[in-house]
Amino acid sequence: MMGEREKDCKSVSWSPLVNGEVSQDCLDLLAEWKDSRKVLVCADCDLFQADVPDEHIDRVFDAMWECARHDFWVETQNVDRLVEYVRGQRRAFGWTDLGRGPMGPGDCSHLDTVYYRNECGYRYDGRDDQGERLDWACEHPDNEDRLEECSCSGCTCPIADRADTRQQLKDIGVIDDYSEFFRDKEGTVVGADDDPRPDDYVEDTDWMYLCSRPKDAMCANVWLGFSASDQQSFEKKARIFRVLRDNPHQKLFCRIGESINMNIPYHGDGESDDSLWSPCDQRSFSHGGEKVLRPYMDRIIVIKDGGGQ
């Protein structure tokens, strides 16, 4: 079912590649669109075609991450490269359970959660010259003390700002935990809802707002998909593409011809006992002791023989 945001979104084409290079003007254009839009990325070419360097794709994905109000649809014929990009070293940092979704600009999290779950992707998992583990060390290149013990801190975090004002903590929903820090002019403790002064702040808080993209993180507002016009192409691409459902948060789609049969052999290697599989099938994930189902494809767009969909 189409969400309210998608129904209200204006659909536009956006081609950040100009003459084989990334156009900064095109990247900046996203920020100028104040209303939410459904953005068709590189509709006149293919972002994952062989001659587009990974560095160009990085810049496009970084720009999409910065503009969380838009939904970006990336469709490719080169499924192998898209899957390698998402699951390889470029965007490998992801989540395999429903309780840990991708973080976007302005999202809040607690320092303990960022560290233990490595939500930022910069936690140093190594040891010093004496073999001692560098607990809480940060690998971010902008952190001057990045390989010093306890360098992971809400005060020094290079990709997040501390949430320490009364209003920020109230917005997060944790104001009651810090109410003892708020006092009136006479020094009396002021409750969470008493005489609110939004600019009052707490010195000892490890809640943070994300202000820069986590390392190698995927964008929560990007749809990834492929198209296929014939049965053979569909079966090959679908078998490669379905591995992306290892991430329950990734939004996936495919655009296929009306005559294509979506029930295909799972392995497709010619074995007689090969069970049938369909992109409509559900993938099971565990969350909070319960099983949660997600379809392999969130959206299947069928192109009619006459050209409609």
Side-chain angles (χ1 to χ4, degrees):
M1 182 175 180
M2 186 179 293
E4 290 299 322
R5 167 169 156 169
E6 188 176 340
K7 285 193 299 183
D8 296 336
C9 280
K10 177 181 179 181
S11 181
V12 296
S13 294
W14 177 61
S15 298
L17 299 180
V18 178
N19 297 324
E21 299 293 332
V22 178
S23 168
Q24 186 60 50
D25 289 340
C26 290
L27 298 184
D28 295 340
L29 184 62
L30 297 177
E32 298 178 10
W33 295 338
K34 301 305 180 182
D35 55 322
S36 298
R37 303 192 181 193
K38 176 182 177 181
V39 183
L40 308 179
V41 181
C42 294
D44 57 348
C45 58
D46 192 326
L47 182 62
F48 289 94
Q49 62 192 34
D51 59 350
V52 178
D54 284 337
E55 291 77 13
H56 287 9
I57 302 176
D58 287 342
R59 290 184 62 190
V60 173
F61 270 74
D62 289 349
M64 294 190 295
W65 186 90
E66 293 285 350
C67 295
R69 61 182 172 277
H70 304 313
D71 283 333
F72 296 91
W73 290 61
V74 180
E75 183 179 316
T76 186
Q77 298 289 337
N78 300 289
V79 174
D80 300 73
R81 189 178 182 199
L82 183 150
V83 170
E84 173 59 28
Y85 180 82
V86 173
R87 292 175 58 84
Q89 294 303 311
R90 295 286 171 171
R91 302 282 160 174
F93 181 67
W95 298 262
T96 55
D97 66 79
L98 289 171
R100 294 171 60 194
M103 296 178 67
D107 286 352
C108 64
S109 190
H110 194 274
L111 180 63
D112 286 348
T113 305
V114 172
Y115 173 73
Y116 286 115
R117 288 185 172 179
N118 194 22
E119 288 181 337
C120 64
Y122 287 106
R123 185 178 67 180
Y124 181 70
D125 189 20
R127 301 178 183 274
D128 60 19
D129 295 338
Q130 287 72 43
E132 297 293 329
R133 181 172 295 280
L134 294 174
D135 292 333
W136 292 84
C138 172
E139 280 193 299
H140 196 285
D142 292 342
N143 192 337
E144 295 180 358
D145 301 320
R146 61 196 186 99
L147 293 185
E148 296 295 331
E149 188 174 2
C150 297
S151 65
C152 184
S153 165
C155 298
T156 62
C157 182
I159 69 167
D161 296 324
R162 285 209 314 173
D164 52 13
T165 69
R166 176 194 290 271
Q167 188 61 50
Q168 287 175 327
L169 296 174
K170 192 171 184 179
D171 292 341
I172 295 172
V174 297
I175 184 68
D176 289 337
D177 297 335
Y178 296 91
S179 59
E180 64 181 277
F181 291 92
F182 297 109
R183 301 175 180 273
D184 58 21
K185 295 180 179 180
E186 284 71 37
T188 304
V189 173
V190 178
D193 296 318
D194 299 331
D195 186 24
R197 292 188 297 274
D199 295 332
D200 283 359
Y201 70 94
V202 176
E203 294 183 1
D204 185 19
T205 172
D206 284 325
W207 285 96
M208 302 187 296
Y209 280 107
L210 197 65
C211 60
S212 181
R213 183 177 62 82
K215 182 181 180 182
D216 300 330
M218 193 55 195
C219 314
N221 56 328
V222 171
W223 288 73
L224 300 176
F226 70 90
S227 60
S229 57
D230 61 82
Q231 188 67 34
Q232 183 178 3
S233 174
F234 168 73
E235 293 190 16
K236 179 181 178 180
K237 293 177 181 179
R239 293 190 185 101
I240 297 172
F241 199 78
R242 69 185 172 202
V243 72
L244 296 182
R245 182 44 75 215
D246 288 352
N247 184 336
H249 301 280
Q250 186 59 62
K251 300 172 182 177
L252 305 174
F253 75 96
C254 63
R255 190 187 308 273
I256 61 176
E258 187 176 19
S259 61
I260 288 179
N261 178 10
M262 290 189 292
N263 295 300
I264 64 175
Y266 187 86
H267 297 289
D269 54 8
E271 296 182 1
S272 58
D273 61 348
D274 202 358
S275 59
L276 293 180
W277 170 83
S278 166
C280 298
D281 290 348
Q282 304 280 324
R283 168 78 183 270
S284 177
F285 295 90
S286 297
H287 179 56
E290 299 180 358
K291 293 291 184 181
V292 180
L293 300 177
R294 283 294 313 275
Y296 279 89
M297 290 288 175
D298 298 287
R299 187 71 51 81
I300 298 176
I301 304 169
V302 178
I303 308 299
K304 298 181 180 179
D305 293 337
Q309 62 183 39

